[in-house]
Amino acid sequence: IRQQNTLGRLNASITEMYSGYKEILLFNKQEDAVRSFESVNDDLCRSAFRAQFMSSLISPLVSLSTYLIIGGIGIIGCLLAISGSIQVGQIQAFIRYVWQVNDPMSQVSNFSAQIQSAFAALTRIMEILEQEEMEEPERPAALPDPAGHFSNSITFEHVRFGYEPGKTVIHDLNLTVRRGQTIAIVGPTGAGKSTIINLLMRFYEPDGGRILMDGVDIRQLRREDLRRNMGMVLQDTWLFNGSIFDNLRYGRPDARRDEVISAARLANVHHFI
């Protein structure tokens, strides 16, 4: 388990250094990065050595135990045979039985490292599977528009939210955005700008208050219906395999070519595509 955990730390360290390579160069942190990697790598080396050493001991210990048992049977059997209590054939048969028991034990011991590694990985898988479900069950209500479109307003009523219990990020948000309005939410990092969008998309549920779309609490709507009416542009760029055309219509696979081109013109990217 210690080996698996350290391997996870090493992979996380490598990922951080590759993704933050420019920042490492910018702040002249190359030596610190190397020392950090060496520290984690040394921990992995030590834990892996112990794990492999202990696993490698199992097979010879099983064999040693078998030989000691056979030696003990030989000595005790000879004494009993001399006294006439048993026959030599019985000693030989008993030794053969010991060998038959030894074979499957030796095979299991040869795979002990893989078995222990599998159990260590299984504990991490179970940790994920045992996590509580974050999304509340769907309670679909009738859509304001039969076509499934929202067009009038979005309202936040006394919304309160925190990612952790007791640590409130948004305390009492009241906001109404009507059709045709453009709203800019400005603030420092960590002020809750992205959190508002996450609540609107129902990636998280508010701890208090309501979010309404055309007067309907979004918790009463199916997430699929809600998100179909949203267009979200993230600050990180993600491109999937395929053409630019395929990426642009990722959220609407049935979009026509002229609609995709029109969207590209609106986003002011058509001229360089």
Side-chain angles (χ1 to χ4, degrees):
I1 292 174
R2 191 180 299 118
Q3 179 185 358
Q4 294 287 95
N5 292 338
T6 311
L7 181 61
R9 286 173 48 212
L10 181 70
N11 289 331
S13 176
I14 293 173
T15 303
E16 288 178 354
M17 290 179 188
Y18 269 103
S19 59
Y21 179 69
K22 292 182 180 179
E23 286 75 12
I24 292 175
L25 295 181
L26 179 65
F27 291 99
N28 196 27
K29 288 287 187 177
Q30 295 94 316
E31 293 183 0
D32 291 341
V34 170
R35 282 195 296 268
S36 175
F37 175 82
E38 288 178 345
S39 175
V40 179
N41 197 40
D42 289 342
D43 289 343
L44 177 61
C45 181
R46 286 191 293 270
S47 59
F49 176 81
R50 293 195 191 100
Q52 297 301 323
F53 181 79
M54 296 301 294
S55 298
S56 300
L57 276 180
I58 295 176
S59 182
L61 284 175
V62 170
S63 299
L64 177 62
S65 300
T66 302
Y67 288 124
L68 290 175
I69 291 171
I70 292 174
I73 292 171
I75 295 172
I76 297 172
C78 288
L79 296 175
L80 293 175
I82 292 172
S83 64
S85 300
I86 61 173
Q87 299 178 359
V88 176
Q90 291 175 308
I91 301 174
Q92 183 182 8
F94 198 85
I95 292 175
R96 293 307 307 166
Y97 292 145
V98 172
W99 277 116
Q100 290 180 5
V101 173
N102 174 71
D103 288 341
M105 291 181 62
S106 297
Q107 293 175 8
V108 171
S109 65
N110 290 333
F111 293 103
S112 61
Q114 292 90 328
I115 294 173
Q116 292 182 67
S117 178
F119 274 107
L122 183 62
T123 57
R124 307 184 76 175
I125 294 173
M126 295 306 298
E127 287 178 3
I128 297 175
L129 295 178
E130 290 172 358
Q131 290 293 320
E132 293 184 8
E133 178 62 52
M134 298 297 294
E135 291 189 341
E136 295 182 2
E138 301 278 19
R139 296 190 298 271
L143 294 172
D145 180 2
H149 299 300
F150 298 93
S151 58
N152 296 322
S153 66
I154 298 173
T155 303
F156 287 75
E157 288 186 353
H158 303 288
V159 172
R160 186 181 75 255
F161 175 74
Y163 290 100
E164 297 180 15
K167 296 183 179 179
T168 304
V169 178
I170 298 175
H171 294 270
D172 186 15
L173 174 63
N174 293 278
L175 171 67
T176 299
V177 183
R178 303 193 183 279
R179 181 177 182 178
Q181 286 185 307
T182 302
I183 303 296
I185 304 172
V186 183
T189 300
K193 303 183 297 296
S194 300
T195 302
I196 293 175
I197 304 302
N198 288 334
L199 291 172
L200 186 60
M201 299 286 290
R202 286 195 68 189
F203 294 139
Y204 298 95
E205 304 290 354
D207 298 330
R210 299 188 302 167
I211 303 175
L212 308 175
M213 294 192 72
D214 291 357
V216 179
D217 192 329
I218 63 173
R219 284 177 290 192
Q220 297 178 352
L221 302 172
R222 291 198 312 159
R223 293 180 179 87
E224 181 181 352
D225 295 333
L226 174 68
R227 293 166 185 170
R228 189 185 294 120
N229 289 272
M230 302 282 187
M232 186 174 182
V233 181
L234 301 172
Q235 53 192 345
D236 297 320
T237 304
W238 295 95
L239 290 175
F240 297 95
N241 287 332
S243 64
I244 296 178
F245 179 81
D246 294 331
N247 276 271
L248 288 176
R249 66 172 188 171
Y250 181 78
R252 278 186 56 197
D254 57 343
R256 301 190 309 272
R257 181 177 178 83
D258 61 318
E259 291 178 322
V260 174
I261 293 175
S262 175
R265 291 185 189 277
L266 289 172
N268 201 30
V269 296
H270 178 71
H271 64 283
F272 66 78
I273 292 177

